[in-house]
mmCIF file of all heavy atoms in Angstrom:
data_model
loop_
_atom_site.group_PDB
_atom_site.id
_atom_site.type_symbol
_atom_site.label_atom_id
_atom_site.label_comp_id
_atom_site.label_asym_id
_atom_site.label_seq_id
_atom_site.Cartn_x
_atom_site.Cartn_y
_atom_site.Cartn_z
ATOM 1 N N HIS A 1 -52.920 167.837 -18.682
ATOM 2 C CA HIS A 1 -52.797 168.137 -20.079
ATOM 3 C C HIS A 1 -52.487 169.635 -20.380
ATOM 4 O O HIS A 1 -52.624 170.395 -19.487
ATOM 5 C CB HIS A 1 -53.930 167.677 -20.889
ATOM 6 C CG HIS A 1 -55.167 168.359 -20.493
ATOM 7 N ND1 HIS A 1 -56.013 167.874 -19.362
ATOM 8 C CD2 HIS A 1 -55.935 169.459 -20.936
ATOM 9 C CE1 HIS A 1 -57.057 168.808 -19.190
ATOM 10 N NE2 HIS A 1 -57.049 169.617 -20.165
ATOM 11 N N ASP A 2 -51.973 169.932 -21.449
ATOM 12 C CA ASP A 2 -51.899 171.277 -21.939
ATOM 13 C C ASP A 2 -52.942 171.630 -22.952
ATOM 14 O O ASP A 2 -53.463 170.806 -23.681
ATOM 15 C CB ASP A 2 -50.595 171.433 -22.585
ATOM 16 C CG ASP A 2 -49.376 171.513 -21.728
ATOM 17 O OD1 ASP A 2 -48.978 172.634 -21.102
ATOM 18 O OD2 ASP A 2 -48.800 170.441 -21.455
ATOM 19 N N MET A 3 -53.337 172.960 -22.889
ATOM 20 C CA MET A 3 -54.338 173.355 -23.898
ATOM 21 C C MET A 3 -53.787 174.552 -24.572
ATOM 22 O O MET A 3 -53.371 175.573 -23.916
ATOM 23 C CB MET A 3 -55.712 173.659 -23.250
ATOM 24 C CG MET A 3 -56.757 174.036 -24.195
ATOM 25 S SD MET A 3 -58.384 174.468 -23.468
ATOM 26 C CE MET A 3 -58.924 172.689 -23.091
ATOM 27 N N LEU A 4 -53.885 174.576 -25.928
ATOM 28 C CA LEU A 4 -53.507 175.843 -26.749
ATOM 29 C C LEU A 4 -54.755 176.360 -27.413
ATOM 30 O O LEU A 4 -55.674 175.696 -27.801
ATOM 31 C CB LEU A 4 -52.571 175.312 -27.854
ATOM 32 C CG LEU A 4 -51.354 174.466 -27.468
ATOM 33 C CD1 LEU A 4 -50.508 174.204 -28.590
ATOM 34 C CD2 LEU A 4 -50.485 174.987 -26.269
ATOM 35 N N THR A 5 -54.819 177.745 -27.213
ATOM 36 C CA THR A 5 -56.099 178.234 -27.830
ATOM 37 C C THR A 5 -55.825 179.409 -28.931
ATOM 38 O O THR A 5 -54.634 179.718 -29.147
ATOM 39 C CB THR A 5 -56.917 178.739 -26.758
ATOM 40 O OG1 THR A 5 -56.321 180.069 -26.214
ATOM 41 C CG2 THR A 5 -57.023 177.939 -25.520
ATOM 42 N N LEU A 6 -56.840 179.917 -29.404
ATOM 43 C CA LEU A 6 -56.798 180.850 -30.469
ATOM 44 C C LEU A 6 -56.477 182.292 -30.073
ATOM 45 O O LEU A 6 -57.398 183.093 -29.922
ATOM 46 C CB LEU A 6 -58.146 180.767 -31.311
ATOM 47 C CG LEU A 6 -58.300 181.618 -32.713
ATOM 48 C CD1 LEU A 6 -57.327 181.113 -33.613
ATOM 49 C CD2 LEU A 6 -59.753 181.503 -33.130
ATOM 50 N N THR A 7 -55.282 182.523 -29.843
ATOM 51 C CA THR A 7 -54.835 183.778 -29.186
ATOM 52 C C THR A 7 -55.226 185.058 -29.882
ATOM 53 O O THR A 7 -55.569 186.135 -29.239
ATOM 54 C CB THR A 7 -53.228 183.709 -28.825
ATOM 55 O OG1 THR A 7 -52.651 183.356 -30.095
ATOM 56 C CG2 THR A 7 -52.961 182.764 -27.801
ATOM 57 N N GLY A 8 -55.270 185.036 -31.232
ATOM 58 C CA GLY A 8 -55.453 186.252 -31.969
ATOM 59 C C GLY A 8 -56.739 186.366 -32.667
ATOM 60 O O GLY A 8 -57.132 187.259 -33.308
ATOM 61 N N GLY A 9 -57.632 185.265 -32.628
ATOM 62 C CA GLY A 9 -58.824 185.234 -33.066
ATOM 63 C C GLY A 9 -58.843 185.062 -34.619
ATOM 64 O O GLY A 9 -60.051 184.974 -35.160
ATOM 65 N N ALA A 10 -57.719 184.803 -35.315
ATOM 66 C CA ALA A 10 -57.785 184.581 -36.739
ATOM 67 C C ALA A 10 -57.975 183.085 -36.963
ATOM 68 O O ALA A 10 -57.009 182.346 -36.679
ATOM 69 C CB ALA A 10 -56.448 185.087 -37.316
ATOM 70 N N ILE A 11 -59.144 182.732 -37.438
ATOM 71 C CA ILE A 11 -59.358 181.303 -37.526
ATOM 72 C C ILE A 11 -58.476 180.617 -38.605
ATOM 73 O O ILE A 11 -58.051 181.229 -39.489
ATOM 74 C CB ILE A 11 -60.819 180.963 -37.695
ATOM 75 C CG1 ILE A 11 -61.408 181.615 -38.968
ATOM 76 C CG2 ILE A 11 -61.651 181.428 -36.452
ATOM 77 C CD1 ILE A 11 -62.795 181.164 -39.274
ATOM 78 N N GLY A 12 -58.329 179.318 -38.489
ATOM 79 C CA GLY A 12 -57.455 178.579 -39.250
ATOM 80 C C GLY A 12 -56.127 178.235 -38.603
ATOM 81 O O GLY A 12 -55.139 177.843 -39.131
ATOM 82 N N GLN A 13 -56.083 178.371 -37.272
ATOM 83 C CA GLN A 13 -54.881 178.203 -36.459
ATOM 84 C C GLN A 13 -54.785 176.694 -35.901
ATOM 85 O O GLN A 13 -53.666 176.237 -35.706
ATOM 86 C CB GLN A 13 -54.896 179.182 -35.258
ATOM 87 C CG GLN A 13 -53.617 179.037 -34.273
ATOM 88 C CD GLN A 13 -54.189 178.262 -32.939
ATOM 89 O OE1 GLN A 13 -55.406 178.036 -32.834
ATOM 90 N NE2 GLN A 13 -53.163 177.929 -32.139
ATOM 91 N N GLY A 14 -55.889 176.023 -35.677
ATOM 92 C CA GLY A 14 -55.889 174.876 -34.932
ATOM 93 C C GLY A 14 -55.133 173.690 -35.512
ATOM 94 O O GLY A 14 -54.286 173.128 -34.945
ATOM 95 N N LEU A 15 -55.505 173.420 -36.790
ATOM 96 C CA LEU A 15 -54.803 172.247 -37.406
ATOM 97 C C LEU A 15 -53.249 172.548 -37.606
ATOM 98 O O LEU A 15 -52.447 171.700 -37.288
ATOM 99 C CB LEU A 15 -55.371 171.858 -38.791
ATOM 100 C CG LEU A 15 -56.800 171.313 -38.647
ATOM 101 C CD1 LEU A 15 -57.352 171.181 -40.215
ATOM 102 C CD2 LEU A 15 -56.872 169.907 -38.053
ATOM 103 N N PRO A 16 -52.822 173.682 -38.151
ATOM 104 C CA PRO A 16 -51.443 173.932 -38.113
ATOM 105 C C PRO A 16 -50.699 173.919 -36.774
ATOM 106 O O PRO A 16 -49.640 173.309 -36.562
ATOM 107 C CB PRO A 16 -51.255 175.261 -38.737
ATOM 108 C CG PRO A 16 -52.640 175.467 -39.595
ATOM 109 C CD PRO A 16 -53.470 174.749 -38.794
ATOM 110 N N SER A 17 -51.344 174.463 -35.730
ATOM 111 C CA SER A 17 -50.752 174.434 -34.462
ATOM 112 C C SER A 17 -50.602 173.002 -33.885
ATOM 113 O O SER A 17 -49.678 172.696 -33.249
ATOM 114 C CB SER A 17 -51.636 175.272 -33.323
ATOM 115 O OG SER A 17 -51.075 175.530 -32.203
ATOM 116 N N ALA A 18 -51.583 172.185 -34.205
ATOM 117 C CA ALA A 18 -51.382 170.731 -33.819
ATOM 118 C C ALA A 18 -50.163 170.134 -34.510
ATOM 119 O O ALA A 18 -49.521 169.286 -33.913
ATOM 120 C CB ALA A 18 -52.697 169.944 -34.185
ATOM 121 N N VAL A 19 -49.978 170.510 -35.726
ATOM 122 C CA VAL A 19 -48.778 169.969 -36.431
ATOM 123 C C VAL A 19 -47.533 170.376 -35.606
ATOM 124 O O VAL A 19 -46.569 169.624 -35.341
ATOM 125 C CB VAL A 19 -48.639 170.536 -37.878
ATOM 126 C CG1 VAL A 19 -47.195 170.234 -38.508
ATOM 127 C CG2 VAL A 19 -49.779 169.892 -38.807
ATOM 128 N N GLY A 20 -47.384 171.671 -35.289
ATOM 129 C CA GLY A 20 -46.218 172.035 -34.546
ATOM 130 C C GLY A 20 -46.077 171.512 -33.137
ATOM 131 O O GLY A 20 -44.982 171.056 -32.718
ATOM 132 N N ALA A 21 -47.130 171.400 -32.489
ATOM 133 C CA ALA A 21 -47.203 170.702 -31.135
ATOM 134 C C ALA A 21 -46.785 169.240 -31.202
ATOM 135 O O ALA A 21 -45.975 168.821 -30.372
ATOM 136 C CB ALA A 21 -48.615 170.863 -30.493
ATOM 137 N N ALA A 22 -47.170 168.580 -32.216
ATOM 138 C CA ALA A 22 -46.744 167.174 -32.466
ATOM 139 C C ALA A 22 -45.290 167.004 -32.761
ATOM 140 O O ALA A 22 -44.613 166.083 -32.260
ATOM 141 C CB ALA A 22 -47.554 166.500 -33.510
ATOM 142 N N VAL A 23 -44.676 167.960 -33.496
ATOM 143 C CA VAL A 23 -43.304 167.959 -33.941
ATOM 144 C C VAL A 23 -42.495 168.233 -32.612
ATOM 145 O O VAL A 23 -41.400 167.664 -32.344
ATOM 146 C CB VAL A 23 -43.010 168.955 -35.014
ATOM 147 C CG1 VAL A 23 -41.492 169.152 -35.153
ATOM 148 C CG2 VAL A 23 -43.708 168.413 -36.316
ATOM 149 N N ALA A 24 -43.000 169.215 -31.764
ATOM 150 C CA ALA A 24 -42.294 169.571 -30.600
ATOM 151 C C ALA A 24 -42.215 168.482 -29.503
ATOM 152 O O ALA A 24 -41.352 168.288 -28.727
ATOM 153 C CB ALA A 24 -42.900 170.933 -29.905
ATOM 154 N N CYS A 25 -43.381 167.635 -29.435
ATOM 155 C CA CYS A 25 -43.636 166.692 -28.411
ATOM 156 C C CYS A 25 -43.999 165.339 -29.073
ATOM 157 O O CYS A 25 -45.228 164.995 -28.919
ATOM 158 C CB CYS A 25 -44.719 167.104 -27.464
ATOM 159 S SG CYS A 25 -44.240 168.720 -26.681
#
């Protein structure tokens, strides 16, 4: 599997990032 993490420490990234990952794949 792939794992994406909070690269910049600014919380609120996870749900939007999941949107983008799902659109890409």
Side-chain angles (χ1 to χ4, degrees):
H1 58 278
D2 287 275
M3 183 179 285
L4 314 183
T5 74
L6 185 60
T7 48
I11 61 175
Q13 176 258 354
L15 291 175
S17 188
V19 167
V23 171
C25 304

